[in-house]
Amino acid sequence: MIQFKLVLLGDSSVGKSSIVTRFVKDQFDLNKESTIGAAFLSQTIKLLDGDSGEEVAIKFEIWDTAGQERYKSLAPMYYRNSNAAIVVYDLCDANSLSKAVKWVNELKEKLGEDNDCIISLIGNKLDITLEDESKRAISFKEGEDFAIENGLYFHEVSAKDNIGIKDIFQEIGESLYKQYKEKRVKNSTANGPGTSGTSNVELNRPSTNDSTSCCS
Amino acid sequence: MSFEEQFDSNNNNTDHYDDDNIDSFDMLHDNNNSNEGEEYKINLDENNDKKEEEEKVVIEDDDDEKVEKPEEEEKLDLQKDGNNITFDNIEKKDIDEKVYEDERKVMNDKIDNTSQNSLEDLVKNTGIDAKKIISNSETKTIFDFKSFLNFLRDPKAEPILKYTKSFINQVLKSDRWYTFKEQKRLIEDFEDFIYKKFAIYEPFKLMNADDLNNCKDSMEKLLTNKLYAKIFSPIYYNLSLKMSKMNPNEKIDFPKDHLKLVKNDQQLWSNINKFGSIITLENLEIYNLTEVNADMLNKFFKVFNRELWKMGKFRSPRDKLVCLLNSCKIIFSYLKKIGNKGLTADDFMPLLIYSVLKLPALDSENYFLLSTASYIDNFRQANFLKGEESYYLMSFQGALQFILELNEENMFEKFKVKDTEFFTNKLNERKGLITATQLEKEEQIKQKKFEKKLHEKEEEELKQNQNSAAGSWPLSSWFGGSSPTNQEDSILSKFSNLITTTTTTTEDENKDTNQVISKEKNTEPSNIEIQQQIENQIKQSELEDLSSLKDMFPQLDEAIVKDIYILKNRNITQTIESILEML
């Protein structure tokens, strides 16, 4: 199975974890692999391969990060080698978009120009604004403009009422799968036939292995 | 790695956490004395054409023994090889293993037909490894180091055994000071090499994927155990200190990456010592805690500490990682207990940092946390360190990094402090206390050094007498069959002499020392005594576990707690979890 590492970023009050909990719990195949706690979750989704028409399963390994400002310096350890990032803000908190923007900028800067990490900007707590539009602090356009400008996916969702949650992951999954297939074709033309499986290995190894990691 | 498996490492209550099984590797003897084509050559150069001569040292294991010998003499030969193991010991070990195998069969049969309640009796009646067997029988993928050693014993697997011994010997004998990076590469290269050989030689060749994985996992455990003194930074560093004491003229260029880990660990402990006692839950914005909860928290710490303490005792990255994951699991159990719904990184990380800060600073030499985390990160094979394991290892490293970077300039960014003046005063108080204790300690060390010297002298004399009488070579089991003259020149013989004669600083090494000494004196207890000892140890750990549980859940009836504990196969983490679910 193809695996992708996805990191969750956002301030502690924006409800980033509840997005994932909602996503993981709502799926038919509740993954039992998380044996320790909910900071790390994994979930498998199914996609349709456009070329072959076959169904493919891909697995997300979802890395939650501590959103408090004081742990910000630890974030690079988490997002290193990720295939995708979800940056969350709170539609009802005026400050939270600017914090999300900081995360996006940091990601882009630290991961470098030629990284292919897919970033999705998510405005959460849509349910509150639907109930009472006056509580909305950040307009749809504000979020969308920033997303378009920076080439990000963008959605407004509600983890509480399960609005738009699955789509976030479906979209990222499809995009990652496309990327994966392109890489595989590239690799097999570069190395000749029969080596196409090797790109899989790289994708399956999100963990750090070099002794230059932050702690050494 | 599944959590059911944790049992296997959790309940190894012997003093040497890994040594029991590892020892039997030393007893594996290559029957075929010709070495041709079965040495592994270590090589660190990127470019193979530029091999340096000194690095291609080939160990000629059995040079003196090209003559074929009748089978009955085989075992005795081990002694001549330099293995400091007597005939009696070998036989006993062999018997033990047979007992183990038989028990295993019996146990597995019985487990199918018995209710959980009678498992206790089974454990009582069998002693050795019984707990391990019970827990293993519940899991699908079993980590089984013993069966790996049995595979190595297969005559058809002899080339694998020889390559492995050759590799281990070369690394141990080499007098070069390897950097962490180099060691990682050496071991990875060898793993790649030997896994290719797995595909050629039986029984590995014919294995299914699960068994083969177990063998790869076990190979890692074997290599890291054997090379531990050279690859685990704090011990490697101590070795360098001793070497430079022995040869003051020889300059040792201790590898910088290892040194950095050792120094960072010292800094980490100095920070834990300084800040640990004054930090409150509020400083890390951990709320939801009433006083009752805080009281319970202290009890959870005990279990948390014990897991990290164990992590220091085990040698293989795999076993260390199991302990680390257990400690993370304990934090989540606690969060669940205090009714935290999310159980996310926002809740987990602060409590992890808090828990590490509350580790007992006096006991620092039992936890080389940064070195250990880096050791796991680097020597655990990549395909075994993924997903959840990787995440929690990284979170642990993150927590350590957070504490390592603490200082008086940034402390108010890192902690939430309302009354900064009060906090600063407390910190100064603490610093004063630390300085005072340090002075006292230094005085004590001076005194101890003096006593140690006296003691060393006595031991040295004793050892010399023994050596001349028995002609035995301590720790030479490392070398398979190399001749004593070769050893004299090697770094390892210096090392082995060192650890037999000096009282070492870490407990771990002390145990090695004791082990060697006890082997020399040839006072191994009988089979029955060993079994009794193990039973006692199991009982002892059971008592400890039960008393922690009692502390943690004072409201519960002791008998009930014990029942659950037994039902959960004496696994304390699982017991806590199921009690929490009940409450």
Side-chain angles (χ1 to χ4, degrees), chain A residues 96-124:
Chain A
S96 69
L97 180 62
S98 63
K99 280 183 186 160
V101 167
K102 269 190 201 159
W103 277 120
V104 172
N105 291 337
E106 184 185 323
L107 266 176
K108 295 206 152 187
E109 188 194 317
K110 289 268 168 67
L111 292 173
E113 284 290 308
D114 50 338
N115 84 87
D116 44 18
C117 181
I118 289 163
I119 305 174
S120 188
L121 180 70
I122 302 297
N124 192 23

PDB file of all heavy atoms in Angstrom, chain A residues 96-124:
ATOM      1  N   SER A  96      -6.512  34.239  13.739  1.00  0.00           N
ATOM      2  CA  SER A  96      -6.019  32.900  13.439  1.00  0.00           C
ATOM      3  C   SER A  96      -5.568  32.739  11.993  1.00  0.00           C
ATOM      4  O   SER A  96      -4.696  31.939  11.698  1.00  0.00           O
ATOM      5  CB  SER A  96      -7.057  31.838  13.812  1.00  0.00           C
ATOM      6  OG  SER A  96      -8.161  31.919  12.955  1.00  0.00           O
ATOM      7  N   LEU A  97      -6.133  33.527  11.082  1.00  0.00           N
ATOM      8  CA  LEU A  97      -5.675  33.396   9.690  1.00  0.00           C
ATOM      9  C   LEU A  97      -4.230  33.871   9.547  1.00  0.00           C
ATOM     10  O   LEU A  97      -3.426  33.232   8.874  1.00  0.00           O
ATOM     11  CB  LEU A  97      -6.586  34.163   8.720  1.00  0.00           C
ATOM     12  CG  LEU A  97      -6.155  34.060   7.238  1.00  0.00           C
ATOM     13  CD1 LEU A  97      -6.208  32.625   6.746  1.00  0.00           C
ATOM     14  CD2 LEU A  97      -7.023  34.939   6.333  1.00  0.00           C
ATOM     15  N   SER A  98      -3.917  34.962  10.228  1.00  0.00           N
ATOM     16  CA  SER A  98      -2.544  35.462  10.094  1.00  0.00           C
ATOM     17  C   SER A  98      -1.547  34.447  10.660  1.00  0.00           C
ATOM     18  O   SER A  98      -0.427  34.304  10.169  1.00  0.00           O
ATOM     19  CB  SER A  98      -2.396  36.809  10.792  1.00  0.00           C
ATOM     20  OG  SER A  98      -2.632  36.663  12.167  1.00  0.00           O
ATOM     21  N   LYS A  99      -1.962  33.726  11.686  1.00  0.00           N
ATOM     22  CA  LYS A  99      -1.088  32.671  12.224  1.00  0.00           C
ATOM     23  C   LYS A  99      -0.935  31.547  11.214  1.00  0.00           C
ATOM     24  O   LYS A  99       0.146  30.997  11.030  1.00  0.00           O
ATOM     25  CB  LYS A  99      -1.647  32.135  13.536  1.00  0.00           C
ATOM     26  CG  LYS A  99      -1.337  33.046  14.714  1.00  0.00           C
ATOM     27  CD  LYS A  99      -1.840  32.441  16.009  1.00  0.00           C
ATOM     28  CE  LYS A  99      -1.652  33.428  17.160  1.00  0.00           C
ATOM     29  NZ  LYS A  99      -2.517  33.094  18.297  1.00  0.00           N
ATOM     30  N   ALA A 100      -2.046  31.218  10.544  1.00  0.00           N
ATOM     31  CA  ALA A 100      -1.990  30.172   9.518  1.00  0.00           C
ATOM     32  C   ALA A 100      -1.086  30.599   8.372  1.00  0.00           C
ATOM     33  O   ALA A 100      -0.308  29.793   7.846  1.00  0.00           O
ATOM     34  CB  ALA A 100      -3.391  29.859   9.009  1.00  0.00           C
ATOM     35  N   VAL A 101      -1.182  31.878   8.018  1.00  0.00           N
ATOM     36  CA  VAL A 101      -0.330  32.399   6.948  1.00  0.00           C
ATOM     37  C   VAL A 101       1.144  32.237   7.319  1.00  0.00           C
ATOM     38  O   VAL A 101       1.976  31.841   6.504  1.00  0.00           O
ATOM     39  CB  VAL A 101      -0.677  33.885   6.678  1.00  0.00           C
ATOM     40  CG1 VAL A 101       0.385  34.541   5.812  1.00  0.00           C
ATOM     41  CG2 VAL A 101      -2.043  34.002   6.025  1.00  0.00           C
ATOM     42  N   LYS A 102       1.440  32.501   8.598  1.00  0.00           N
ATOM     43  CA  LYS A 102       2.819  32.325   9.070  1.00  0.00           C
ATOM     44  C   LYS A 102       3.278  30.877   8.892  1.00  0.00           C
ATOM     45  O   LYS A 102       4.399  30.598   8.481  1.00  0.00           O
ATOM     46  CB  LYS A 102       2.918  32.703  10.552  1.00  0.00           C
ATOM     47  CG  LYS A 102       3.259  34.154  10.781  1.00  0.00           C
ATOM     48  CD  LYS A 102       3.582  34.369  12.258  1.00  0.00           C
ATOM     49  CE  LYS A 102       3.419  35.820  12.647  1.00  0.00           C
ATOM     50  NZ  LYS A 102       3.234  35.958  14.107  1.00  0.00           N
ATOM     51  N   TRP A 103       2.373  29.964   9.225  1.00  0.00           N
ATOM     52  CA  TRP A 103       2.718  28.542   9.069  1.00  0.00           C
ATOM     53  C   TRP A 103       3.018  28.211   7.607  1.00  0.00           C
ATOM     54  O   TRP A 103       3.983  27.529   7.290  1.00  0.00           O
ATOM     55  CB  TRP A 103       1.574  27.644   9.556  1.00  0.00           C
ATOM     56  CG  TRP A 103       1.559  27.414  11.030  1.00  0.00           C
ATOM     57  CD1 TRP A 103       0.564  27.738  11.898  1.00  0.00           C
ATOM     58  CD2 TRP A 103       2.579  26.804  11.814  1.00  0.00           C
ATOM     59  NE1 TRP A 103       0.892  27.370  13.180  1.00  0.00           N
ATOM     60  CE2 TRP A 103       2.121  26.801  13.157  1.00  0.00           C
ATOM     61  CE3 TRP A 103       3.831  26.273  11.526  1.00  0.00           C
ATOM     62  CZ2 TRP A 103       2.879  26.273  14.202  1.00  0.00           C
ATOM     63  CZ3 TRP A 103       4.586  25.738  12.567  1.00  0.00           C
ATOM     64  CH2 TRP A 103       4.115  25.754  13.884  1.00  0.00           C
ATOM     65  N   VAL A 104       2.149  28.719   6.735  1.00  0.00           N
ATOM     66  CA  VAL A 104       2.333  28.425   5.309  1.00  0.00           C
ATOM     67  C   VAL A 104       3.669  28.976   4.829  1.00  0.00           C
ATOM     68  O   VAL A 104       4.441  28.279   4.160  1.00  0.00           O
ATOM     69  CB  VAL A 104       1.172  29.012   4.474  1.00  0.00           C
ATOM     70  CG1 VAL A 104       1.470  28.879   2.983  1.00  0.00           C
ATOM     71  CG2 VAL A 104      -0.138  28.324   4.812  1.00  0.00           C
ATOM     72  N   ASN A 105       3.958  30.217   5.217  1.00  0.00           N
ATOM     73  CA  ASN A 105       5.219  30.821   4.791  1.00  0.00           C
ATOM     74  C   ASN A 105       6.421  30.060   5.338  1.00  0.00           C
ATOM     75  O   ASN A 105       7.404  29.847   4.630  1.00  0.00           O
ATOM     76  CB  ASN A 105       5.276  32.289   5.224  1.00  0.00           C
ATOM     77  CG  ASN A 105       4.285  33.130   4.452  1.00  0.00           C
ATOM     78  OD1 ASN A 105       3.869  32.749   3.350  1.00  0.00           O
ATOM     79  ND2 ASN A 105       3.875  34.255   5.029  1.00  0.00           N
ATOM     80  N   GLU A 106       6.301  29.666   6.580  1.00  0.00           N
ATOM     81  CA  GLU A 106       7.407  28.908   7.173  1.00  0.00           C
ATOM     82  C   GLU A 106       7.623  27.582   6.440  1.00  0.00           C
ATOM     83  O   GLU A 106       8.743  27.208   6.118  1.00  0.00           O
ATOM     84  CB  GLU A 106       7.141  28.650   8.661  1.00  0.00           C
ATOM     85  CG  GLU A 106       8.325  27.936   9.313  1.00  0.00           C
ATOM     86  CD  GLU A 106       8.097  27.535  10.756  1.00  0.00           C
ATOM     87  OE1 GLU A 106       7.445  28.299  11.493  1.00  0.00           O
ATOM     88  OE2 GLU A 106       8.564  26.454  11.131  1.00  0.00           O
ATOM     89  N   LEU A 107       6.497  26.915   6.170  1.00  0.00           N
ATOM     90  CA  LEU A 107       6.581  25.638   5.451  1.00  0.00           C
ATOM     91  C   LEU A 107       7.292  25.815   4.117  1.00  0.00           C
ATOM     92  O   LEU A 107       8.201  25.066   3.783  1.00  0.00           O
ATOM     93  CB  LEU A 107       5.169  25.109   5.171  1.00  0.00           C
ATOM     94  CG  LEU A 107       4.537  24.140   6.151  1.00  0.00           C
ATOM     95  CD1 LEU A 107       3.111  23.843   5.725  1.00  0.00           C
ATOM     96  CD2 LEU A 107       5.336  22.855   6.234  1.00  0.00           C
ATOM     97  N   LYS A 108       6.858  26.822   3.389  1.00  0.00           N
ATOM     98  CA  LYS A 108       7.433  27.046   2.056  1.00  0.00           C
ATOM     99  C   LYS A 108       8.912  27.361   2.158  1.00  0.00           C
ATOM    100  O   LYS A 108       9.711  26.899   1.363  1.00  0.00           O
ATOM    101  CB  LYS A 108       6.696  28.193   1.359  1.00  0.00           C
ATOM    102  CG  LYS A 108       5.253  27.843   1.072  1.00  0.00           C
ATOM    103  CD  LYS A 108       4.730  28.622  -0.099  1.00  0.00           C
ATOM    104  CE  LYS A 108       3.643  27.812  -0.769  1.00  0.00           C
ATOM    105  NZ  LYS A 108       3.188  28.393  -2.004  1.00  0.00           N
ATOM    106  N   GLU A 109       9.237  28.165   3.161  1.00  0.00           N
ATOM    107  CA  GLU A 109      10.625  28.571   3.306  1.00  0.00           C
ATOM    108  C   GLU A 109      11.505  27.385   3.713  1.00  0.00           C
ATOM    109  O   GLU A 109      12.553  27.121   3.138  1.00  0.00           O
ATOM    110  CB  GLU A 109      10.701  29.680   4.357  1.00  0.00           C
ATOM    111  CG  GLU A 109      12.066  30.325   4.459  1.00  0.00           C
ATOM    112  CD  GLU A 109      12.179  31.150   5.731  1.00  0.00           C
ATOM    113  OE1 GLU A 109      11.214  31.874   6.056  1.00  0.00           O
ATOM    114  OE2 GLU A 109      13.208  31.042   6.399  1.00  0.00           O
ATOM    115  N   LYS A 110      11.056  26.644   4.723  1.00  0.00           N
ATOM    116  CA  LYS A 110      11.891  25.569   5.262  1.00  0.00           C
ATOM    117  C   LYS A 110      11.972  24.362   4.336  1.00  0.00           C
ATOM    118  O   LYS A 110      12.970  23.667   4.278  1.00  0.00           O
ATOM    119  CB  LYS A 110      11.350  25.118   6.630  1.00  0.00           C
ATOM    120  CG  LYS A 110      11.555  26.134   7.744  1.00  0.00           C
ATOM    121  CD  LYS A 110      12.854  25.880   8.481  1.00  0.00           C
ATOM    122  CE  LYS A 110      13.227  27.026   9.404  1.00  0.00           C
ATOM    123  NZ  LYS A 110      12.302  27.168  10.526  1.00  0.00           N
ATOM    124  N   LEU A 111      10.885  24.115   3.620  1.00  0.00           N
ATOM    125  CA  LEU A 111      10.904  22.940   2.756  1.00  0.00           C
ATOM    126  C   LEU A 111      11.612  23.219   1.436  1.00  0.00           C
ATOM    127  O   LEU A 111      11.975  22.303   0.712  1.00  0.00           O
ATOM    128  CB  LEU A 111       9.480  22.442   2.488  1.00  0.00           C
ATOM    129  CG  LEU A 111       8.755  21.858   3.703  1.00  0.00           C
ATOM    130  CD1 LEU A 111       7.310  21.556   3.367  1.00  0.00           C
ATOM    131  CD2 LEU A 111       9.438  20.601   4.205  1.00  0.00           C
ATOM    132  N   GLY A 112      11.789  24.483   1.130  1.00  0.00           N
ATOM    133  CA  GLY A 112      12.532  24.826  -0.082  1.00  0.00           C
ATOM    134  C   GLY A 112      11.648  24.898  -1.310  1.00  0.00           C
ATOM    135  O   GLY A 112      10.505  24.450  -1.301  1.00  0.00           O
ATOM    136  N   GLU A 113      12.229  25.449  -2.365  1.00  0.00           N
ATOM    137  CA  GLU A 113      11.479  25.704  -3.587  1.00  0.00           C
ATOM    138  C   GLU A 113      10.951  24.434  -4.253  1.00  0.00           C
ATOM    139  O   GLU A 113       9.788  24.334  -4.608  1.00  0.00           O
ATOM    140  CB  GLU A 113      12.370  26.463  -4.591  1.00  0.00           C
ATOM    141  CG  GLU A 113      12.553  27.940  -4.288  1.00  0.00           C
ATOM    142  CD  GLU A 113      11.270  28.723  -4.508  1.00  0.00           C
ATOM    143  OE1 GLU A 113      10.690  28.588  -5.590  1.00  0.00           O
ATOM    144  OE2 GLU A 113      10.866  29.466  -3.588  1.00  0.00           O
ATOM    145  N   ASP A 114      11.834  23.476  -4.396  1.00  0.00           N
ATOM    146  CA  ASP A 114      11.484  22.339  -5.240  1.00  0.00           C
ATOM    147  C   ASP A 114      10.844  21.186  -4.470  1.00  0.00           C
ATOM    148  O   ASP A 114      10.871  20.047  -4.900  1.00  0.00           O
ATOM    149  CB  ASP A 114      12.713  21.854  -6.009  1.00  0.00           C
ATOM    150  CG  ASP A 114      13.900  21.649  -5.091  1.00  0.00           C
ATOM    151  OD1 ASP A 114      13.884  22.264  -4.000  1.00  0.00           O
ATOM    152  OD2 ASP A 114      14.828  20.908  -5.444  1.00  0.00           O
ATOM    153  N   ASN A 115      10.287  21.480  -3.313  1.00  0.00           N
ATOM    154  CA  ASN A 115       9.589  20.408  -2.604  1.00  0.00           C
ATOM    155  C   ASN A 115       8.223  20.218  -3.250  1.00  0.00           C
ATOM    156  O   ASN A 115       7.691  21.129  -3.893  1.00  0.00           O
ATOM    157  CB  ASN A 115       9.412  20.779  -1.129  1.00  0.00           C
ATOM    158  CG  ASN A 115       8.212  21.643  -0.910  1.00  0.00           C
ATOM    159  OD1 ASN A 115       7.108  21.145  -0.725  1.00  0.00           O
ATOM    160  ND2 ASN A 115       8.401  22.942  -0.969  1.00  0.00           N
ATOM    161  N   ASP A 116       7.666  19.035  -3.075  1.00  0.00           N
ATOM    162  CA  ASP A 116       6.336  18.831  -3.654  1.00  0.00           C
ATOM    163  C   ASP A 116       5.299  18.559  -2.563  1.00  0.00           C
ATOM    164  O   ASP A 116       4.331  17.846  -2.765  1.00  0.00           O
ATOM    165  CB  ASP A 116       6.357  17.704  -4.693  1.00  0.00           C
ATOM    166  CG  ASP A 116       7.133  16.511  -4.217  1.00  0.00           C
ATOM    167  OD1 ASP A 116       7.351  16.405  -2.993  1.00  0.00           O
ATOM    168  OD2 ASP A 116       7.521  15.681  -5.051  1.00  0.00           O
ATOM    169  N   CYS A 117       5.531  19.150  -1.402  1.00  0.00           N
ATOM    170  CA  CYS A 117       4.579  19.005  -0.311  1.00  0.00           C
ATOM    171  C   CYS A 117       3.271  19.738  -0.673  1.00  0.00           C
ATOM    172  O   CYS A 117       3.279  20.903  -1.061  1.00  0.00           O
ATOM    173  CB  CYS A 117       5.172  19.601   0.963  1.00  0.00           C
ATOM    174  SG  CYS A 117       4.117  19.470   2.392  1.00  0.00           S
ATOM    175  N   ILE A 118       2.181  19.020  -0.560  1.00  0.00           N
ATOM    176  CA  ILE A 118       0.891  19.613  -0.893  1.00  0.00           C
ATOM    177  C   ILE A 118       0.306  20.272   0.354  1.00  0.00           C
ATOM    178  O   ILE A 118       0.206  19.642   1.409  1.00  0.00           O
ATOM    179  CB  ILE A 118      -0.057  18.527  -1.429  1.00  0.00           C
ATOM    180  CG1 ILE A 118       0.436  18.105  -2.805  1.00  0.00           C
ATOM    181  CG2 ILE A 118      -1.499  19.027  -1.473  1.00  0.00           C
ATOM    182  CD1 ILE A 118      -0.114  16.806  -3.267  1.00  0.00           C
ATOM    183  N   ILE A 119      -0.043  21.545   0.233  1.00  0.00           N
ATOM    184  CA  ILE A 119      -0.553  22.256   1.408  1.00  0.00           C
ATOM    185  C   ILE A 119      -2.032  22.586   1.211  1.00  0.00           C
ATOM    186  O   ILE A 119      -2.444  23.043   0.153  1.00  0.00           O
ATOM    187  CB  ILE A 119       0.235  23.562   1.656  1.00  0.00           C
ATOM    188  CG1 ILE A 119       1.740  23.261   1.760  1.00  0.00           C
ATOM    189  CG2 ILE A 119      -0.252  24.253   2.921  1.00  0.00           C
ATOM    190  CD1 ILE A 119       2.615  24.495   1.863  1.00  0.00           C
ATOM    191  N   SER A 120      -2.793  22.340   2.252  1.00  0.00           N
ATOM    192  CA  SER A 120      -4.206  22.641   2.203  1.00  0.00           C
ATOM    193  C   SER A 120      -4.550  23.596   3.345  1.00  0.00           C
ATOM    194  O   SER A 120      -4.234  23.337   4.504  1.00  0.00           O
ATOM    195  CB  SER A 120      -4.992  21.327   2.341  1.00  0.00           C
ATOM    196  OG  SER A 120      -6.349  21.552   2.108  1.00  0.00           O
ATOM    197  N   LEU A 121      -5.157  24.710   2.995  1.00  0.00           N
ATOM    198  CA  LEU A 121      -5.547  25.699   4.016  1.00  0.00           C
ATOM    199  C   LEU A 121      -7.010  25.462   4.366  1.00  0.00           C
ATOM    200  O   LEU A 121      -7.874  25.437   3.496  1.00  0.00           O
ATOM    201  CB  LEU A 121      -5.348  27.112   3.456  1.00  0.00           C
ATOM    202  CG  LEU A 121      -5.703  28.272   4.389  1.00  0.00           C
ATOM    203  CD1 LEU A 121      -4.698  28.372   5.533  1.00  0.00           C
ATOM    204  CD2 LEU A 121      -5.755  29.592   3.617  1.00  0.00           C
ATOM    205  N   ILE A 122      -7.274  25.298   5.655  1.00  0.00           N
ATOM    206  CA  ILE A 122      -8.613  24.924   6.084  1.00  0.00           C
ATOM    207  C   ILE A 122      -9.152  25.900   7.124  1.00  0.00           C
ATOM    208  O   ILE A 122      -8.527  26.114   8.165  1.00  0.00           O
ATOM    209  CB  ILE A 122      -8.616  23.504   6.695  1.00  0.00           C
ATOM    210  CG1 ILE A 122      -8.085  22.471   5.690  1.00  0.00           C
ATOM    211  CG2 ILE A 122     -10.010  23.126   7.198  1.00  0.00           C
ATOM    212  CD1 ILE A 122      -8.918  22.327   4.435  1.00  0.00           C
ATOM    213  N   GLY A 123     -10.308  26.492   6.826  1.00  0.00           N
ATOM    214  CA  GLY A 123     -10.990  27.321   7.821  1.00  0.00           C
ATOM    215  C   GLY A 123     -12.021  26.456   8.544  1.00  0.00           C
ATOM    216  O   GLY A 123     -12.938  25.927   7.931  1.00  0.00           O
ATOM    217  N   ASN A 124     -11.851  26.313   9.832  1.00  0.00           N
ATOM    218  CA  ASN A 124     -12.731  25.416  10.602  1.00  0.00           C
ATOM    219  C   ASN A 124     -13.821  26.204  11.341  1.00  0.00           C
ATOM    220  O   ASN A 124     -13.771  27.432  11.408  1.00  0.00           O
ATOM    221  CB  ASN A 124     -11.874  24.603  11.582  1.00  0.00           C
ATOM    222  CG  ASN A 124     -12.657  23.460  12.201  1.00  0.00           C
ATOM    223  OD1 ASN A 124     -13.647  22.989  11.644  1.00  0.00           O
ATOM    224  ND2 ASN A 124     -12.202  23.011  13.368  1.00  0.00           N
TER     225      ASN A 124
END
